[in-house]
Amino acid sequence: MFPRDHVRGKLPLLNLQEEVPFTLQQGSVADLLGSMSSYNHDLRGHSERVCTLCIPMAMRLGLAGKRLLYIQLAALLHDVGKLDVPPHILDKPGMLSFQETLVVQDHSLRGEQILRSLSLPDPICQTVRTHHERFDGRGYPDGLAGEEIPLAARIVQIADAYDAMTEDRPYRAAMTPEAARFWISGLSGVYFDPVVVDCFLSE
Ligand SMILES: [Fe+2]
């Protein structure tokens, strides 16, 4: 269980200045996070909460060292491609049109492109590219299924969904943590990796 007060705004492990070993990118990562803060009121907050939710799952699933650092950075930057989604689409209160949906969906590929242009390590770029794949193979952009999807992305997916469900949206109220956990449980094996779901729910 992840009480919201525990999640909100806390990054217990990652210190960009001290822990990111690729010094060339430190400024770039900080710049991207700054851009996300100013572009959309919750893009940065959502990313930080997702990062915080990922850490205990990643550790319990055996990620350590560089792999743990990479998943934190990927979680922080998973939606960086939304910097290229126009605000009138990103903040639209109602249903998106088909074309608008395609523009939003392109953020995973655009995010990967942004991070590759900054020479971030491949696992981070791959996680950002694949964070909207589905365990049953019906996600995007590549229709990967099961363990074809990087483990880091399968972890980010659940944290991403949980945070989205438990936050207010212009078109719906936030779910309770219990309701979100119920939905995630119900989507185990469909959207989400059952092993990662069990890890999340047993916290
Ligand atoms: Fe996303």
Side-chain angles (χ1 to χ4, degrees), residues 32 77-78 80-82 84 106-120 122 124-130 141:
L32 287 175
L77 297 169
H78 72 282
V80 70
K82 287 187 177 175
D84 282 349
D106 197 47
H107 79 276
S108 52
L109 287 176
R110 183 62 192 133
E112 180 199 17
Q113 290 170 357
I114 291 169
L115 300 187
R116 290 205 186 281
S117 75
L118 297 171
S119 301
L120 262 70
D122 181 70
I124 299 174
C125 302
Q126 280 294 337
T127 301
V128 170
R129 179 185 179 99
T130 56

Side-chain angles (χ1 to χ4, degrees), residues 46 78-80 82 104-105 107-108 128 131-132 140 156 160:
H46 166 69
H78 72 282
D79 275 343
V80 70
K82 287 187 177 175
V104 172
Q105 288 185 345
H107 79 276
S108 52
V128 170
H131 78 276
H132 283 289
Y140 63 86
V156 169
D160 189 17

Side-chain angles (χ1 to χ4, degrees), residues 10 33-34 53 69 76 93 119 136 170 180 188 197:
K10 294 184 179 178
L33 292 172
L53 286 163
L69 174 65
L76 273 178
S119 301
D136 64 1
S188 177
V197 170

Side-chain angles (χ1 to χ4, degrees), residues 11-190:
L11 290 175
L13 292 183
L14 182 63
N15 181 324
L16 283 178
Q17 297 307 315
E18 295 176 6
E19 296 184 36
V20 177
F22 25 96
T23 53
L24 189 66
Q25 288 89 352
Q26 281 186 10
S28 302
V29 171
D31 287 348
L32 287 175
L33 292 172
S35 298
M36 291 164 71
S37 292
S38 51
Y39 191 69
N40 178 278
H41 75 282
D42 197 41
L43 197 49
R44 170 79 175 266
H46 166 69
S47 301
E48 291 184 346
R49 292 190 300 273
V50 168
C51 179
T52 305
L53 286 163
C54 283
I55 293 168
M57 279 191 281
M59 293 176 71
R60 293 173 66 192
L61 289 166
L63 274 65
K66 198 177 278 188
R67 292 183 77 197
L68 186 59
L69 174 65
Y70 287 172
I71 190 175
Q72 290 178 78
L73 284 167
L76 273 178
L77 297 169
H78 72 282
D79 275 343
V80 70
K82 287 187 177 175
L83 290 173
D84 282 349
V85 178
H88 71 275
I89 297 178
L90 201 56
D91 296 326
K92 186 174 177 178
M95 288 268 293
L96 298 180
S97 70
F98 179 69
Q99 283 300 328
E100 290 168 339
T101 300
L102 293 181
V103 170
V104 172
Q105 288 185 345
D106 197 47
H107 79 276
S108 52
L109 287 176
R110 183 62 192 133
E112 180 199 17
Q113 290 170 357
I114 291 169
L115 300 187
R116 290 205 186 281
S117 75
L118 297 171
S119 301
L120 262 70
D122 181 70
I124 299 174
C125 302
Q126 280 294 337
T127 301
V128 170
R129 179 185 179 99
T130 56
H131 78 276
H132 283 289
E133 299 289 357
R134 286 175 38 163
F135 198 73
D136 64 1
R138 302 182 71 177
Y140 63 86
D142 302 311
L144 302 179
E147 295 187 1
E148 292 175 337
I149 306 166
L151 174 59
R154 285 178 267 143
I155 295 170
V156 169
Q157 288 163 358
I158 293 175
D160 189 17
Y162 178 85
D163 188 71
M165 289 177 187
T166 54
E167 286 290 306
D168 284 323
R169 288 288 183 269
Y171 47 89
R172 61 152 175 79
M175 285 185 194
T176 64
E178 293 73 23
R181 290 162 61 85
F182 176 79
W183 273 96
I184 287 170
S185 171
L187 293 170
S188 177
V190 182

